[in-house]
Amino acid sequence: MTERYVWDLQEVDETQLAVVGGKGAHLGGLSRIEGIRVPGGFCVTTDAFQRIMAEAPSLDDRLDQLSRLNPDDREAIRTLSAEIRRTIEGIAIPGDLAAAITRALAQLGEQAACAVRSSATAEDLPTASFAGQQDTYLNVVGPTAILQHVSRCWASLFTERAVTYRQRNGIDHRTVHMAVVVQRMVFPHAAGILFTADPVTGNRKVATVDAGFGLGEALVSGLVNPDVFKVRHGEVVAKAIAAKQRAVHALPTGGTQEVAIDPQRQEQPALTDAQAVRLVRLGRRIEAHFGRPQDIEWCLVDGGFQIVQSRPITTLFPIPETGDQENHVYVSVGHGQMMTDPMKPLGLSMWQLTAMVPMHTAGGRLFVDVTRRLASPASRAGLLDVIGRGDPLIRDALESVLDRDDFVPSLPDAGPGGPPAGGASAPIETDPAIVTELIERNQVSIAALERDIRTKTGPALFDFLLEAFEEHKRVLSDPLSMQAIMAGMEATWWLNDTLREWLDEKNAADTLTLSAPDNVTSEMGLALLDVADVIRPHSEVVAFLQGVEDEGFLDELAKLTGGTEARDAIEAYLDRYGMRCVGEIDITRPRWRERPTTLVPVILDNVRNFEPGAAERRFEQGRQKAQKKGQDVLSRLRALPDGDRKADEAKRMIDRVRTFIGYREYPKYGIVSRYFLYKQALLEEAERLVQAGVLPEKEDIFYLTFQELHDVVRSHQVDGRLIQQRKDAFRSYHALTPPRVLTSDGEAVTGAYRRDDVPAGALIGLPVSAGTVEGRARVILDIAEADLEAGDILVTTFTDPSWSPLFVGIAGLVTEVGGQMTHGAVIAREYGLPAVVGVEQATRLIRDGQRIRVHGTDGYVEILP
């Protein structure tokens, strides 16, 4: 079949992405929708681009060079991509190709003014919009100028920005080709952008229209502020009319220029309300055609709308699928579990199968539907109370949804049926033997799992695992375990609330919980200090560890002086804690046992920053500080009216919190211990599938749900395309920020801290561990990149238990996610670190190396000059 270099827009649709690129395919699709007008034109296909690329053999070497560059080496990328662009623009367009373009142009009218627009094959895709990365030229007149601008569009595939984007997203430059769209130019009275979902809140029922006079370039380039109309259910519900001082107009000879707008017109709206509503109606038709919210460029010409582009809005957070039309309110699970990164499908489904409540997925994250509990006044109060203690921003977001009278239905209170959510459970005795017994029960159950799972393979393994999940849930929901956790938390709340009232002291429990016994997570941080003690005397081992990159390094250690002891110490640590890792609720994440190099930077920091015996000293200092604080509180209480009674009550609560608060961390340790056993069994199964030629690689199972993997093991057949789609989707989810609260309208509801007791310019958060500290901020997003000095303050998005080895070496903690009882808060209190959590965008607003002051008692962070 001979190459066809030119297609009329009317001939193409979304299926021809590879031939006409994203923009061309979308414009072709748009022109087929009833009632949608698209300016006429044609596409110069990717065949033409590939032919041009073949005309210059030197391009091959340069593309090889380009793919080897680091995405951060901006200078090298700038130089090389400019060379590639110059080469492409310098290639003479072969006669037959030029003739095909000129013939198509004659159909539009040879001297017609045109828009010449790049259309890359990796543009305007559902998972990556690439918006604005290649070039558009407006009001180009005459065949010579058009051919020159087609060349420029081809070259624009290699702008510095487009090249960097592809490098960062792992897209091979050779797999992306460039088509060019040539369209008849329209000269609009007004133009702008229509988002069929609110791009800020994500609400799918609210459309936003940005409008200005003249060509849309004035808005896209940021030259003017647009008029903004918000349209919901066919009416304008809000609008802001801007003073539009400038516009971009087309020149009769070609090209465009900025012009000043007559002062009388500047304040006039660019559209009437009726026009905005009519435009949104067209937008809803386009959205229905493409099956997802759209970002649409429009022009108003002679009173009618023409559509010049439509692409998916890729920044919206997806909505959990329910299959009904009811209103739903979802709360993020990740914010409670300290893991807001996306999870792979196997990770999501395993958590769903082992969780105590039903969970929904969207954007690679988990959500709980709280609509029914919000609808009934009795359960609503309990839910808001528990959530508010954990994360005030979630509580505030839920209250703002409840303030809209019509969104959450009001249900009558349910009849007697157990305590309301988060309500008080029956009290238990303050007896350390309870905690010992609970830990033993858990260990017995895990030992049985480890013994029994070894013999299971194939479909029998999956039947066994479904039973194991029931045991997993039984252990988690053990009433005694729940009572022990609640006893520790309620005693903490009592101490904080009551001592504030009696002694006017904030967060007293933070000091009273220092070095509490039986806390498996804080023990894990201290135990790594003991590992450093073994390694520190052996300079050869320390030097070796500084250069470690390969996961097999433990075997190499034995060849060095002191290496056997070092290896045994690390191995013993991994035997106890090797099932942990960052993001551990996702079973697919590599565990420390699978990737021990993760721990090496932390061990080396400990070797450098601590003296021998630090773990024991730290624990003992904390214990004595807590004891002294307890004595101080009790003696001050006894001096008050009715002081003996108050002191007795406080003493009872201090004993209670010391007995139970450490156990708060144990159930998660139990879950993760089980997860590691499940994972090892499933990976052995995956290895068998690879051996049988069913899967190319073991890790492919991470992109299947548990049930799908079960089916693959039974049938020995797998849908390779499904796995590839899931990989692409997972990659795209990293760009999304999961909301704390999400509605079925797609609205991401953000809460606020309603506080006026904070200095201007400070970053507000939640006080979770008392004290004030100043120091150097270390913004660390990956534990393996940690490089901490004594006195540093750790700033990160979230910390789960796997971060606690870092806590022993820092002076304070700031996180974007967290609450009073999340792991980072509990461990910060155990170690006596001032900590503020739930600080929105902390890792963006605080720069690495800046000096900051953390107010752990009052819940804010100051950035110091």
Side-chain angles (χ1 to χ4, degrees):
M1 173 183 145
T2 57
E3 273 90 0
R4 205 173 140 195
Y5 296 127
V6 174
W7 293 63
D8 191 277
L9 263 184
Q10 300 280 337
E11 296 177 272
V12 300
D13 62 23
E14 303 89 322
T15 61
Q16 282 137 315
L17 186 86
V19 181
V20 296
K23 194 173 291 161
H26 266 78
L27 284 166
L30 279 167
S31 62
R32 291 160 179 251
I33 306 171
E34 195 180 335
I36 303 298
R37 290 168 57 204
V38 174
F42 59 89
C43 297
V44 182
T45 64
T46 51
D47 284 339
F49 169 77
Q50 285 169 278
R51 179 162 168 199
I52 290 294
M53 293 294 279
E55 297 275 325
S58 67
L59 282 171
D60 242 17
D61 295 342
R62 288 193 174 133
L63 285 182
D64 283 341
Q65 276 174 273
L66 195 58
S67 62
R68 286 196 292 272
L69 291 179
N70 182 321
D72 295 321
D73 190 347
R74 305 206 25 198
E75 198 46 52
I77 287 178
R78 185 178 299 132
T79 309
L80 192 51
S81 53
E83 273 180 40
I84 294 172
R85 288 198 303 279
R86 273 198 303 278
T87 305
I88 293 171
E89 286 187 42
I91 296 169
I93 298 179
D96 58 333
L97 174 48
I101 295 171
T102 312
R103 270 199 307 277
L105 195 56
Q107 303 275 304
L108 296 179
E110 200 157 284
Q111 290 306 309
C114 292
V116 182
R117 315 173 71 192
S118 318
S119 178
T121 52
E123 183 181 28
D124 297 351
L125 309 180
T127 54
S129 85
F130 288 66
Q133 287 196 1
Q134 283 92 29
D135 295 345
T136 285
Y137 302 96
L138 297 178
N139 202 31
V140 183
V141 180
T144 308
I146 299 263
L147 288 170
Q148 182 189 5
H149 284 85
V150 166
S151 282
R152 282 189 186 167
C153 282
W154 287 330
S156 77
L157 191 62
F158 297 97
T159 60
E160 185 189 342
R161 200 159 50 138
V163 166
T164 306
Y165 186 92
R166 289 197 294 271
Q167 307 265 86
R168 285 196 196 292
N169 285 277
I171 297 165
D172 180 352
H173 300 297
R174 293 170 195 277
T175 61
V176 183
H177 300 136
M178 182 65 86
V180 182
V181 175
V182 179
Q183 271 178 296
R184 191 191 297 278
M185 186 71 195
V186 290
F187 302 101
H189 161 73
I193 314 229
L194 157 63
F195 297 97
T196 64
D198 187 318
V200 178
T201 69
N203 194 325
R204 310 303 201 264
K205 302 231 169 115
V206 175
T208 303
V209 178
D210 289 3
F213 293 122
L215 291 166
E217 289 309 287
L219 302 191
V220 174
S221 64
L223 178 66
V224 297
N225 288 329
D227 296 340
V228 180
F229 299 82
K230 302 245 180 224
V231 178
R232 184 185 175 110
H233 299 321
E235 61 175 320
V236 174
V237 291
K239 64 178 166 182
I241 305 305
K244 300 168 288 296
Q245 291 161 343
R246 308 192 71 67
V248 174
H249 283 176
L251 292 168
T253 52
T256 61
Q257 79 174 124
E258 279 179 40
V259 295
I261 294 178
D262 184 346
Q264 284 87 34
R265 280 188 69 212
Q266 287 180 9
E267 304 277 349
Q268 282 180 2
L271 293 178
T272 65
D273 285 11
Q275 285 172 325
V277 167
R278 195 166 91 224
L279 175 60
V280 169
R281 208 171 293 135
L282 295 175
R284 293 278 175 234
R285 204 175 281 183
I286 294 169
E287 178 182 68
H289 174 85
F290 289 118
R292 56 190 340 140
Q294 297 288 302
D295 159 354
I296 297 164
E297 291 180 32
W298 55 269
C299 299
L300 179 65
V301 190
D302 302 329
F305 288 104
Q306 299 217 18
I307 304 300
V308 292
Q309 186 158 343
S310 182
R311 55 171 162 287
I313 310 177
T314 56
T315 53
L316 295 175
F317 201 86
I319 307 172
E321 286 175 20
T322 54
D324 63 33
Q325 296 303 306
E326 307 292 313
N327 287 350
H328 294 271
V329 182
Y330 302 100
V331 169
S332 160
V333 172
H335 284 80
Q337 288 293 341
M338 298 296 93
M339 162 60 181
T340 51
D341 291 348
M343 293 166 69
K344 297 191 177 107
L346 186 64
L348 290 166
S349 69
M350 292 289 278
W351 193 261
Q352 284 174 303
L353 286 164
T354 51
M356 305 310 299
V357 292
M359 291 188 179
H360 302 263
T361 65
R365 276 76 168 193
L366 291 160
F367 293 88
V368 173
D369 186 343
V370 294
T371 322
R372 286 195 71 81
R373 284 165 68 182
L374 286 176
S376 148
S379 58
R380 179 188 311 151
L383 177 73
L384 290 175
D385 182 49
V386 168
I387 279 181
R389 285 185 183 275
D391 189 330
L393 291 177
I394 295 182
R395 177 179 181 139
D396 190 72
L398 290 175
E399 285 176 335
S400 70
V401 174
L402 287 166
D403 286 345
R404 305 169 200 171
D405 298 334
D406 54 344
F407 194 81
V408 176
S410 226
L411 296 175
D413 284 345
S425 45
I428 50 173
E429 292 301 309
T430 304
D431 179 1
I434 292 174
V435 173
T436 312
E437 184 195 335
L438 284 167
I439 290 173
E440 274 174 14
R441 280 189 205 174
N442 207 338
Q443 285 171 337
V444 166
S445 174
I446 290 169
L449 172 66
E450 191 168 8
R451 185 188 64 234
D452 297 343
I453 202 167
R454 283 189 191 135
T455 58
K456 307 291 186 288
T457 59
L461 169 67
F462 288 82
D463 296 337
F464 171 80
L465 281 172
L466 288 170
E467 286 173 34
F469 297 162
E470 291 311 308
E471 166 68 359
H472 179 125
K473 288 195 275 194
R474 188 192 66 71
V475 171
L476 264 189
S477 61
D478 179 339
L480 190 63
S481 177
M482 303 294 241
Q483 287 171 312
I485 291 169
M486 285 312 291
M489 296 206 303
E490 283 163 359
T492 307
W493 297 334
W494 187 94
L495 285 165
N496 279 339
D497 295 347
T498 312
L499 296 180
R500 187 163 189 173
E501 186 189 326
W502 289 346
L503 297 175
D504 195 27
E505 183 169 344
K506 286 183 185 173
N507 301 354
D510 293 1
T511 311
L512 294 167
T513 53
L514 285 170
S515 299
D518 299 312
N519 187 321
V520 68
T521 310
S522 61
E523 287 164 7
M524 176 168 78
L526 296 172
L528 207 57
L529 287 175
D530 292 337
V531 173
D533 285 355
V534 174
I535 289 168
R536 193 179 292 107
H538 304 293
S539 54
E540 207 182 333
V541 172
V542 174
F544 169 76
L545 289 177
Q546 280 162 345
V548 155
E549 285 180 3
D550 178 23
E551 295 304 341
F553 75 94
L554 287 170
D555 296 334
E556 300 293 310
L557 272 175
K559 301 172 188 166
L560 310 173
T561 309
T564 308
E565 296 93 314
R567 186 193 62 196
D568 291 349
I570 295 172
E571 283 285 1
Y573 186 85
L574 290 172
D575 286 344
R576 180 137 167 80
Y577 304 111
M579 76 295 284
R580 308 222 84 148
C581 67
V582 172
E584 60 194 10
I585 71 168
D586 181 353
I587 198 170
T588 72
R589 289 283 191 107
R591 311 280 136 179
W592 290 343
R593 173 51 85 189
E594 297 167 304
R595 202 173 283 177
T597 51
T598 312
L599 292 173
V600 170
V602 194
I603 293 171
L604 289 170
D605 281 350
N606 288 350
V607 165
R608 193 175 67 239
N609 295 334
F610 290 93
E611 296 295 315
E616 199 174 335
R617 272 198 310 281
R618 282 290 295 267
F619 189 77
E620 188 50 33
Q621 281 163 357
R623 202 182 62 74
Q624 287 178 12
K625 216 168 159 186
Q627 195 174 1
K628 191 165 167 296
K629 178 71 172 179
Q631 289 162 350
D632 169 57
V633 163
L634 297 178
S635 67
R636 284 161 61 201
L637 286 174
R638 286 197 184 97
L640 297 176
D642 196 17
D644 286 348
R645 179 187 64 79
K646 288 176 175 167
D648 288 348
E649 269 190 72
K651 171 80 170 73
R652 209 171 68 247
M653 286 300 177
I654 292 170
D655 290 348
R656 204 161 171 75
V657 90
R658 301 248 356 133
T659 300
F660 292 118
I661 202 66
Y663 178 70
R664 160 79 182 78
E665 290 292 296
Y666 198 85
K668 183 80 168 274
Y669 176 75
I671 291 172
V672 177
S673 301
R674 288 170 197 282
Y675 263 34
F676 192 41
L677 296 171
Y678 304 154
K679 180 180 190 177
Q680 288 170 306
L682 290 173
L683 281 174
E684 282 171 24
E685 210 50 55
E687 183 56 50
R688 283 188 276 275
L689 291 170
V690 171
Q691 298 297 328
V694 178
L695 284 177
E697 50 192 60
K698 277 196 308 191
E699 277 76 23
D700 283 352
I701 68 165
F702 296 161
Y703 297 93
L704 298 170
T705 65
F706 180 80
Q707 188 52 58
E708 288 165 347
L709 179 53
H710 190 177
D711 294 341
V712 170
V713 167
R714 261 205 310 259
S715 66
H716 266 223
Q717 288 180 316
V718 70
D719 181 350
R721 280 171 324 190
L722 175 71
I723 288 177
Q724 191 51 52
Q725 278 166 3
R726 296 265 177 84
K727 286 180 178 177
D728 293 343
F730 178 70
R731 201 179 299 123
S732 75
Y733 293 153
H734 281 279
L736 301 174
T737 303
R740 281 176 163 83
V741 172
L742 178 67
T743 73
S744 46
D745 286 351
E747 184 179 0
V749 190
T750 49
Y753 293 108
R754 315 278 172 191
R755 288 174 55 189
D756 50 14
D757 58 343
V758 169
L763 309 179
I764 303 179
L766 190 61
V768 295
S769 186
T772 302
V773 67
E774 256 182 52
R776 178 178 68 154
R778 294 309 317 266
V779 180
I780 295 173
L781 302 178
D782 177 355
I783 194 170
E785 306 292 309
D787 178 15
L788 294 160
E789 300 287 343
D792 283 349
I793 296 168
L794 173 62
V795 180
T796 189
T797 42
F798 57 80
T799 61
D800 57 14
S802 69
W803 286 75
S804 63
L806 291 190
F807 283 24
V808 296
I810 58 176
L813 172 71
V814 179
T815 67
E816 294 182 349
V817 175
Q820 280 286 357
M821 286 297 165
T822 46
H823 302 276
V826 172
I827 304 308
R829 290 195 289 273
E830 286 264 323
Y831 288 168
L833 299 175
V836 180
V837 301
V839 180
E840 295 273 71
Q841 299 200 338
T843 58
R844 294 194 190 98
L845 299 172
I846 299 170
R847 285 198 312 279
D848 188 52
Q850 274 184 321
R851 286 196 69 75
I852 60 173
R853 188 182 296 130
V854 177
H855 295 263
T857 309
D858 294 313
Y860 62 92
V861 180
E862 289 178 286
I863 299 175
L864 302 175

